[in-house]
Amino acid sequence: MLAFIAIGLLVVLVFIIYLIDRVNSIEKETRQFAQTLNDQKEPPALGPFAGLTSKKLWDAMTGRVPEGLDPGVLVEVRERYELVLQKHIEAVFQEGVKDGQRGLSGEPKNTKLITTLRGPIESWLPSAQVNTLYKCGLDSAQLPPEQLDAVRSALDEAGQTLYGKALINLVQPLSMTLMPTAGAADAAVQTPTLPPAASS
């Protein structure tokens, strides 16, 4: 009897050990499977510009799209980038204006930190257009009015180049807002309306 009991207990003990080992194996396989699924998932787009910044953002807007970036996400980024481009252009131009007013001449940088409603973003523009924008701002503050037509032309050309490379439609030339002519400024002033004549 004792021998049968001992054998029975031994069988039960072996069965328990087998069950514990089997549970551990299943748990290990489950963890490995979950890890595999996580590794296969694409990382989510970071922020309003899909994690792109500085020259990488410019490259994506000008056709050099990073591998794996969804076309739909790129369209949304481009819509938000238009304001960034506009602010960057205005900032470089105004930098030139301020230096011109102080009688200085500096070297504009390609990058600027642009503030948006979705947070700050570092923007990058090509050196050729950045230098032109800065020079136009500088000249607008130093040259007499009769010599500004050439400056306006250079400003408009730089703007058209930048917007064209970024595949964004430029609604109106940059000079319309950054260097308005006297005629345009006068047209913006509304003529006061006269009160209606009293009826007899």
Side-chain angles (χ1 to χ4, degrees), residues 92-93 96 108 130-140 143 151:
V92 175
F93 179 83
V130 167
N131 290 333
T132 299
L133 293 170
Y134 176 83
K135 183 68 165 53
C136 288
L138 200 71
D139 290 343
S140 70
L143 296 180
V151 179

Side-chain angles (χ1 to χ4, degrees), residues 105-120:
S105 180
E107 291 290 333
K109 295 182 179 180
N110 297 71
T111 58
K112 277 197 176 296
L113 191 65
I114 305 301
T115 303
T116 71
L117 293 176
R118 297 175 175 84

Side-chain angles (χ1 to χ4, degrees), residues 73-160:
V73 173
L74 184 64
V75 172
E76 295 178 0
V77 171
R78 191 181 303 283
E79 291 175 353
R80 295 165 185 155
Y81 179 72
E82 183 174 358
L83 179 61
V84 174
L85 178 60
Q86 175 190 336
K87 285 190 170 186
H88 194 159
I89 289 172
E90 292 176 354
V92 175
F93 179 83
Q94 293 302 331
E95 181 182 346
V97 171
K98 291 178 181 178
D99 284 353
Q101 292 171 344
R102 293 180 294 181
L104 304 175
S105 180
E107 291 290 333
K109 295 182 179 180
N110 297 71
T111 58
K112 277 197 176 296
L113 191 65
I114 305 301
T115 303
T116 71
L117 293 176
R118 297 175 175 84
I121 180 73
E122 187 179 69
S123 175
W124 182 96
L125 293 178
S127 295
Q129 282 73 45
V130 167
N131 290 333
T132 299
L133 293 170
Y134 176 83
K135 183 68 165 53
C136 288
L138 200 71
D139 290 343
S140 70
Q142 295 179 338
L143 296 180
E146 60 270 15
Q147 297 182 19
L148 293 182
D149 284 344
V151 179
R152 291 188 179 91
S153 297
L155 179 62
D156 292 340
E157 183 178 350
Q160 191 62 54

Side-chain angles (χ1 to χ4, degrees), residues 175-197:
S175 61
M176 294 284 290
T177 54
L178 298 179
M179 294 181 63
T181 61
D186 292 340
V189 178
Q190 295 182 353
T191 304
T193 55
L194 297 175

Side-chain angles (χ1 to χ4, degrees), residues 4 164 187:
F4 281 119

